[in-house]
Amino acid sequence: MTIVSTERPPVAAIAALGLTQIIGYGTLYYSFSILAPDMARSFDWSAEWVFGALSAALLIGGLAAPLMGTWIDRFGAGRIMTAGSAIAAAALVACAFAPGKIAFVAALIAIETASNLVQYGAAFALLVQIRPRVAQRSITYLTLIAGFASTIFWPITTALHEQMSWQNVYLIFAALNLAVCLPIHAWLSRGVSETRKREAGQAAKHVEPGLQPSMRRPAFVLMVTGFALESFVNAALLVHMVPVMSALGLGAMAVVVGTLFGPSQVLSRLINMIFGERLSQVMLAIICAVLLPTALVILIATAPSVPGALVFAVVFGLGSGLNSIVYGTLPLALFGSDGYGRRQGQIMSVRLVVSSMAPFALAFLMGNLGVSWSLSIAASLSTVAVAAFFAIMRLTSPVARPETVPHPREA
C-alpha cells in the first residue's frame, strides 16, 4: 500500500538528518575496516580477532535494539538521537583511550549499541514522528543522501589515518558526533515537541495499518524473515567479496565491484525517488528481494567473465540500495505509525544478529562446500525472502480509514 498525502516532506529535517546519518555511519561503522589493522597492532591481536570483536559488538547491539525501539516510542526519536550522539562520542573516546583488550571490546560494544540510537532505525522513526503521512517519501530522500556515507568517509578516514593514529582519528570522530550531530538532533527534538503541543486537542494524524488485525502477526513474522535472509546475504557477501571473487577467478574484479556497488545503491534510491512514489511498498520489497538472487545467479553462471561480474555488481548494488528503503517503509505501510519505533527495534535486532553471524557462516560454507555451492545456498536463501514478501502481498487487503484533514507542519 502506498500512502498519498498533500503534505510535503520536511526538507530541512531530511537534509539535517542526512548530514547526521553520513557522520553516524561514517564514524561508527565504515571507518572501522580502515582502522582495524592499526587497532590489531595496538593490542597485539590478529585482524581476525579485531573483526571478531566487532561481530560480538554487533550481536550485543542487536540484542539491545528492541529496548531502544521502545524508548523511541516512549520518549521520542529526537530525544533518543540526542542522547545517542552524546553516548556515541563518549564511546569513541573510551575506545581511543582503552588501556587493554577488555576495555577496547567494551568500548566497541558501546559504539555499536549507540549506533542503534543514531542511525537509520532511529532516523526513520523521527521522520515518522515529524510527518507520518509523508514518511515513506521522507525515508527515500534520507537514504539517498545517507548513501554517500561510505563514499565520503572511506577517503576521509584514510587521509586522517595517514597523518595520525587510529586513536586520534576516533577522537576527531567523537568531536564530530558531539559538535555536529548532537545539536542537530536536539533541534529536531524541540521541533517535534513544539509541533505536538500545537496539535494537542486536534484529531491525531497518523498512518493507519494496511493489514487487517488478524493478518498482522503472520505478516510481521514473514516480513522479519525476509529482512533477516536479505541481511544475511548482504552482510556475508560484502565482507567476503575479495575471497569470493578470487575463488571464482575474478580476484582483480573485487575492487571494481566495490567501485560499482556504492553508486548502484544510490542509483536505485534515485530511481525509486523519481518513479516509485505510486509503487506499493510490498511490491518494492519483492523487487528488492528478487534482485539479490538474480545477482548471485548471474555471478555463478558467468564466472570468470568480467562483464558478468560487472553486471553482478550493479544488480547487487541496486537490490542492496532498495533494501535500506524497504525496511523503513514497509513496516509503516503494513502496520501504521503507532508503535513504529518498537517495531523498528525488533527488525533491527534480527538484522544485526543475523548480520553479525553471516560472515562466519559463509566462510564456513566456502571452506567445506566450495564457493559455487556456498553462493548457490545464499541465492536459495534470497529466494525464500522473495517467497516471504509474496506471501505478505496475499495477506494485504484494503482497510477502511477514517477521513483525516492534513495540516501542514513546520520542519
Side-chain angles (χ1 to χ4, degrees):
M1 171 174 297
T2 301
I3 299 167
V4 181
S5 173
T6 58
E7 286 185 277
R8 290 182 299 176
V11 176
I14 294 169
L17 272 177
L19 176 59
T20 70
Q21 291 303 287
I22 288 173
I23 293 174
Y25 275 97
T27 61
L28 303 176
Y29 184 73
Y30 287 116
S31 64
F32 187 87
S33 62
I34 295 172
L35 302 177
D38 197 15
M39 293 174 175
R41 286 189 292 269
S42 296
F43 297 106
D44 195 24
W45 263 358
S46 66
E48 289 78 8
W49 274 103
V50 171
F51 280 103
L54 177 64
S55 294
L58 287 169
L59 176 62
I60 295 173
L63 295 176
L67 175 61
M68 296 175 185
T70 301
W71 290 350
I72 287 172
D73 282 337
R74 181 179 302 172
F75 302 110
R79 292 178 180 175
I80 294 300
M81 294 187 80
T82 303
S85 295
I87 296 171
L92 287 167
V93 171
C95 197
F97 286 108
K101 298 175 181 177
I102 295 176
F104 171 77
V105 173
L108 201 59
I109 291 170
I111 288 173
E112 296 310 322
T113 302
S115 298
N116 295 335
L117 303 177
V118 296
Q119 292 178 349
Y120 272 161
F124 292 168
L126 180 58
L127 292 175
V128 170
Q129 291 173 2
I130 292 174
R131 292 185 188 172
R133 296 182 66 81
V134 292
Q136 289 180 2
R137 276 187 290 161
S138 299
I139 288 170
T140 300
Y141 300 155
L142 177 63
T143 58
L144 179 63
I145 299 171
F148 292 98
S150 60
T151 305
I152 292 171
F153 263 87
W154 276 336
I156 286 177
T157 304
T158 301
L160 288 174
H161 193 38
E162 289 174 353
Q163 304 298 323
M164 62 187 69
S165 67
W166 72 266
Q167 291 94 335
N168 288 331
V169 174
Y170 261 15
L171 291 177
I172 291 175
F173 288 170
L176 282 177
N177 279 274
L178 204 59
V180 179
C181 298
L182 190 149
I184 289 176
H185 293 154
W187 168 65
L188 291 170
S189 178
R190 286 196 300 271
V192 173
S193 298
E194 291 170 2
T195 300
R196 287 178 173 177
K197 289 178 182 177
R198 287 197 304 268
E199 293 182 349
Q202 298 180 6
K205 278 198 307 179
H206 60 279
V207 177
E208 295 289 337
L211 289 169
Q212 299 286 357
S214 61
M215 300 298 174
R216 292 173 196 169
R217 181 176 293 275
F220 187 79
V221 172
L222 287 167
M223 180 183 69
V224 171
T225 299
F227 286 159
L229 294 172
E230 289 177 328
S231 294
F232 178 92
V233 174
N234 268 307
L237 278 176
L238 289 177
V239 170
H240 291 291
M241 190 66 71
V242 173
V244 166
M245 291 294 169
S246 298
L248 292 173
L250 291 159
M253 289 304 301
V255 175
V256 179
V257 168
T259 302
L260 290 177
F261 178 76
S264 297
Q265 281 189 305
V266 175
L267 177 63
S268 68
R269 295 164 185 172
L270 181 62
I271 293 172
N272 182 64
M273 183 180 72
I274 297 173
F275 301 107
E277 185 173 335
R278 300 287 174 175
L279 188 66
S280 158
Q281 296 306 309
V282 180
M283 181 55 67
L284 185 64
I286 291 172
I287 293 171
C288 168
V290 166
L291 287 171
L292 295 181
T294 300
L296 290 170
V297 169
I298 290 171
L299 182 62
I300 296 168
T302 61
S305 164
V306 171
L310 297 178
V311 174
F312 157 77
V314 172
V315 175
F316 187 66
L318 291 173
S320 181
L322 288 179
N323 183 254
S324 297
I325 299 173
V326 169
Y327 103 80
T329 59
L330 184 60
L332 180 63
L334 294 179
F335 309 104
S337 55
D338 291 344
Y340 180 85
R342 174 179 54 81
R343 282 188 292 273
Q344 274 295 300
Q346 293 168 340
I347 294 167
M348 189 185 308
S349 177
V350 175
R351 285 167 59 94
L352 288 175
V353 169
V354 170
S355 296
S356 69
M357 297 184 294
F360 170 79
L362 184 59
F364 177 83
L365 290 173
M366 288 193 297
N368 289 274
L369 300 178
V371 66
S372 294
W373 276 106
S374 300
L375 293 179
S376 298
I377 291 173
S380 299
L381 293 175
S382 298
T383 304
V384 176
V386 176
F389 292 122
F390 266 114
I392 292 174
M393 175 172 281
R394 295 190 63 182
L395 294 176
T396 57
S397 59
V399 178
R401 286 174 167 72
E403 292 295 325
T404 58
V405 180
H407 301 277
R409 294 187 183 185
E410 298 298 324

